[in-house]
Amino acid sequence: MSANENTAQSLTSKVVDAIIYYIIENNLQAGNKLPNEDTLASMLNVGRGTVREAVKALISRNILTIRRGAGTYVSEKYGIADDPLGLTFMPDKRKLALDLTDIRIMIEPEIAMLASQNANGKEVAELEVLCDETENWILSHRQQHLMHIHPDLKYHAKIAQFSHNSVVKNLVPIIYSSIEMHVDFTQSKLVDDTIFFHRKIFEAIRDHNATQARDAMLMHLMISRREVEKANLR
């Protein structure tokens, strides 16, 4: 590699760091728009080509995303790798579903407890709306068991968000993977349990009852695990 190539790489790396610093300093959140290429180049005193290479690097790291015709935005993935644990390469998907459920049992009851302690009034109201929407969605798609995945994921994601723990939000993709896995195995059998425990979890968070929030989430996940085990035996 030539000295010029080394210099170009070094400059691109510096611009990558500068853009990350800009995101942090300006408290940009997922979905927020960055200045355009010309503005960034002027701000950082570099050429547009260098900015372009830095943006490409940040896209590859799931920090930025391009919306065609709209500009550059902070990615919804917020720097989280698509498969950080290499789960794609685990051949036994049934065992993976069980193992992921075990991980959920370890962490999600505590997340629910934190949410019950830290969620504010606005967040509680938002969670209630989402709980109602999830319940209505599940009931209206009772015979299409895969259809309740997305509102269910959103519900669990909001609980993680309302825990106000900055690390928890990066654990949510793992939770998503678990839900996607065991819905395939348990099919529609957990529909009624999902509705019941989602409501119990919400009520505990609303009432700021940490013990009940933790226990309701634990029961919800233990029942899910039991169904995954049954699927493993079939």
Side-chain angles (χ1 to χ4, degrees):
M1 184 178 292
S2 69
N4 286 340
E5 288 174 324
N6 276 326
T7 301
Q9 277 196 342
S10 176
L11 183 57
T12 299
S13 296
K14 288 179 180 178
V15 173
V16 164
D17 291 341
I19 293 174
I20 292 173
Y21 180 79
Y22 176 86
I23 292 170
I24 294 170
E25 282 297 295
N26 290 276
N27 195 31
L28 298 186
Q29 302 299 310
N32 288 165
K33 187 176 182 180
L34 265 69
N36 62 34
E37 194 175 273
D38 287 335
T39 302
L40 284 174
S42 177
M43 285 169 48
L44 302 175
N45 196 28
V46 295
R48 291 177 57 189
T50 303
V51 170
R52 197 172 300 121
E53 289 303 312
V55 168
K56 286 180 182 177
L58 290 167
I59 290 172
S60 72
R61 292 167 58 181
N62 288 335
I63 293 173
L64 297 180
T65 186
I66 297 290
R67 297 181 188 173
R68 191 175 299 277
T72 304
Y73 293 79
V74 178
S75 172
E76 297 292 337
K77 296 178 180 178
Y78 218 63
I80 301 171
D82 290 331
D83 185 19
L85 301 180
L87 301 183
T88 300
F89 298 100
M90 295 185 181
D92 189 342
K93 299 305 181 184
R94 291 181 182 275
K95 183 178 186 304
L96 175 58
L98 193 59
D99 289 348
L100 280 169
T101 304
D102 285 340
I103 292 295
R104 293 185 67 197
I105 289 170
M106 293 177 197
I107 64 174
E108 279 201 72
E110 304 305 316
I111 291 173
M113 183 179 71
L114 283 175
S116 74
Q117 295 169 335
N118 297 327
N120 59 42
K122 181 180 178 181
E123 291 167 340
V124 168
E126 185 178 346
L127 190 62
E128 182 174 21
V129 170
L130 187 56
C131 188
D132 291 340
E133 289 177 351
T134 304
E135 182 174 323
N136 291 334
W137 184 278
I138 291 172
L139 289 174
S140 64
H141 296 83
R142 179 179 287 274
Q143 302 306 317
Q144 304 171 42
H145 67 275
L146 291 179
M147 295 300 290
H148 80 271
I149 291 176
H150 297 298
D152 191 55
L153 293 180
K154 189 175 180 182
Y155 182 78
H156 283 265
K158 282 297 180 183
I159 292 173
Q161 179 183 333
F162 297 159
S163 73
H164 290 263
N165 182 291
S166 59
V167 176
V168 160
K169 67 180 182 181
N170 290 339
L171 296 176
V172 167
I174 298 174
I175 296 172
Y176 284 5
S177 296
S178 178
I179 294 172
E180 289 173 334
M181 287 300 302
H182 78 244
V183 165
D184 281 337
F185 294 122
T186 60
Q187 299 184 1
S188 59
K189 293 182 179 179
L190 292 181
V191 166
D192 292 331
D193 285 330
T194 297
I195 291 172
F196 176 79
F197 281 108
H198 275 198
R199 182 63 57 180
K200 286 294 184 183
I201 293 164
F202 159 70
E203 290 172 351
I205 292 173
R206 178 198 62 196
D207 297 339
H208 302 290
N209 190 319
T211 300
Q212 287 186 9
R214 181 180 57 200
D215 290 349
M217 182 66 81
L218 179 60
M219 286 298 298
H220 179 35
L221 296 172
M222 290 298 292
I223 290 172
S224 295
R225 190 186 194 284
R226 182 188 65 198
E227 293 302 321
V228 173
E229 284 182 317
K230 288 180 180 178
N232 282 344
L233 295 174
R234 289 197 287 269

